[in-house]
């Protein structure tokens, strides 16, 4: 499929900060649940001061609420470039994934699974002369009832995750894959990616990993994974209750001996 109808828009704003330094990045992923408290959530994201922001369940059209296009409003408020993957229509409106970056990406596209579902935004991006690959995804949800839906959806969700890992491998670049994976850390889906990329929440000490607190038990569904070009400096789950998910923030740095990788130097293991 052509790219033109996949990424809705790239929006530029002029007030982004310059926190990025060579080889250092802050990544935030957050399932926003349609931004029920959009101004408070905007302020939280602003305080995080992330270089790469991966958002899920963001509305781009809404006939009943203002702003109607949450993704564009947020990018303009925060001063980021924006790529949108609008991939569903529900009673709240039309929405999907959003990727916010301080500077314009080199290229963007969308990953589409075997059933035509556009589950992730991809980008090639450059910071301080170093190119890297980004996948910002919302992987297949868990159909209800949960125990049956979890088992029934494992194969397709695993296939999506492998597709994301393979895309990153083909770029030959340092890579990060972040988003709402809808997988638990002991599941088959998790082990389709964990041997190939580093789970930031398990590479360093974290405050906790309960990113989906509304199930009545501690559940981690949201992750930041990085290739071994990166060192994980810190990771945390942000205790903020506006959504049914909590944000995850990871600080990563390019390893000194892995900088300036080009398209022929991928280190991702074969899937």
């Amino acid at each position: 499929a052509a790219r033109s109808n996949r990424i809705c828009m790239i929006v530029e704003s002029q007030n982004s900060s310059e926190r990025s330094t060579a080889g250092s990045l802050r990544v935030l992923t957050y399932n926003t649940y349609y931004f029920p408290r959009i101004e408070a959530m905007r302020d939280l994201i602003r305080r995080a001061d992330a270089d790469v922001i991966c958002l899920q369940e963001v509305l781009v059209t809404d006939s009943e609420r203002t702003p109607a296009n949450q993704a564009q409003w947020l990018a303009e408020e925060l001063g980021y470039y924006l790529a949108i993957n609008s991939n569903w229509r529900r009673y709240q409106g039309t929405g999907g994934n959003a990727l916010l970056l301080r500077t314009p990406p080199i290229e963007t596209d969308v990953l589409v699974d075997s059933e035509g579902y556009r589950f992730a935004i991809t980008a090639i991006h450059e910071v301080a002369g170093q190119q890297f690959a980004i996948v910002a995804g919302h992987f297949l949800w868990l159909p209800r009832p949960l125990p049956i839906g979890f088992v029934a959806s494992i194969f397709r969700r695993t296939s999506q995750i492998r597709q994301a890992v393979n895309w990153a491998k083909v770029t030959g670049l340092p890579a990060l894959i972040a988003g709402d994976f809808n997988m638990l850390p002991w599941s088959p889906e998790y082990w389709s990616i964990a041997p190939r990329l580093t789970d930031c929440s398990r590479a360093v000490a974290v405050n906790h990993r309960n990113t989906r607190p509304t199930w009545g038990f501690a559940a981690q569904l949201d992750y930041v994974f990085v290739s071994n070009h990166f060192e994980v400096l810190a990771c945390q789950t942000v205790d903020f209750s506006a959504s049914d998910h909590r944000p995850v923030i990871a600080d990563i740095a390019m390893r000194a001996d892995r900088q300036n990788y080009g398209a022929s130097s991928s280190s991702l293991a074969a899937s």
Side-chain angles (χ1 to χ4, degrees):
R3 294 184 185 183
S4 59
N5 62 353
R6 290 185 179 180
I7 295 295
C8 298
M9 64 189 71
I10 298 291
V11 177
E12 177 181 359
S13 201
Q14 299 298 326
N15 62 335
S16 61
S17 66
E18 297 295 336
R19 194 185 62 83
S20 297
T21 57
S24 176
L25 291 169
R26 172 165 286 183
V27 183
L28 179 147
T29 182
Y30 191 15
N31 183 322
T32 67
Y33 194 57
Y34 325 116
F35 281 104
R37 295 167 51 199
I38 192 166
E39 292 184 352
M41 297 166 86
R42 171 204 59 195
D43 294 343
L44 172 77
I45 295 169
R46 176 181 284 138
R47 289 194 300 273
D49 195 28
D51 304 290
V52 178
I53 300 173
C54 307
L55 303 177
Q56 305 87 48
E57 297 192 7
V58 181
L59 290 168
V60 296
T61 62
D62 186 340
S63 60
E64 298 181 358
R65 289 189 292 182
T66 301
N69 187 327
Q70 295 175 340
Q72 183 172 352
W73 178 86
L74 186 68
E76 292 173 348
E77 286 284 304
L78 299 178
Y80 283 74
Y81 288 80
L82 167 68
I84 305 169
N85 168 31
S86 179
N87 61 5
W88 47 253
R89 183 173 183 82
R90 302 177 187 170
Y91 67 90
Q92 295 95 339
T94 302
N97 302 315
L99 173 64
L100 282 72
L101 300 166
R102 294 188 189 279
T103 56
I106 295 170
E107 64 179 65
T108 58
D109 205 343
V110 170
L111 294 180
V112 184
D113 73 8
S114 59
E115 298 186 26
Y117 179 66
R118 304 191 304 272
F119 63 92
I121 299 172
T122 65
I124 305 297
H125 193 42
E126 183 173 319
V127 174
Q130 174 63 63
Q131 291 186 15
F132 59 98
I134 302 169
V135 180
H138 190 182
F139 298 86
L140 185 66
W141 60 91
L142 300 175
R144 272 47 171 183
L146 276 178
I148 298 173
F150 172 76
V151 174
S153 59
I154 285 175
F155 178 80
R156 185 175 168 197
R157 191 164 42 255
T158 300
S159 178
Q160 290 178 345
I161 292 168
R162 286 176 174 166
Q163 186 178 344
V165 172
N166 288 340
W167 177 87
K169 177 188 174 187
V170 168
T171 69
L173 296 170
L176 67 90
I177 303 177
D180 177 358
F181 284 75
N182 276 312
M183 67 182 183
L184 297 169
W186 43 261
S187 66
E189 305 98 295
Y190 182 85
W191 289 108
S192 70
I193 186 171
R196 297 171 174 84
L197 296 169
T198 300
D199 175 359
C200 292
S201 71
R202 284 168 174 78
V204 294
V206 297
N207 53 337
H208 65 81
R209 301 184 183 94
N210 183 13
T211 70
R212 184 62 153 86
T214 58
W215 278 357
F217 62 92
Q220 183 181 12
L221 300 183
D222 308 86
Y223 303 81
V224 178
F225 288 92
V226 296
S227 64
N228 64 10
H229 305 85
F230 293 104
E231 176 185 4
V232 182
L233 305 177
C235 187
Q236 65 172 307
T237 301
V238 181
D239 290 313
F240 190 69
S241 60
S243 170
D244 58 351
H245 288 246
R246 289 173 172 146
V248 175
I249 296 174
D251 292 317
I252 60 177
M254 189 70 64
R255 297 183 187 276
D257 60 344
R258 309 308 299 274
Q259 293 186 21
N260 300 314
Y261 260 59
S264 62
S265 52
S266 174
S267 68
L268 289 174
S271 344

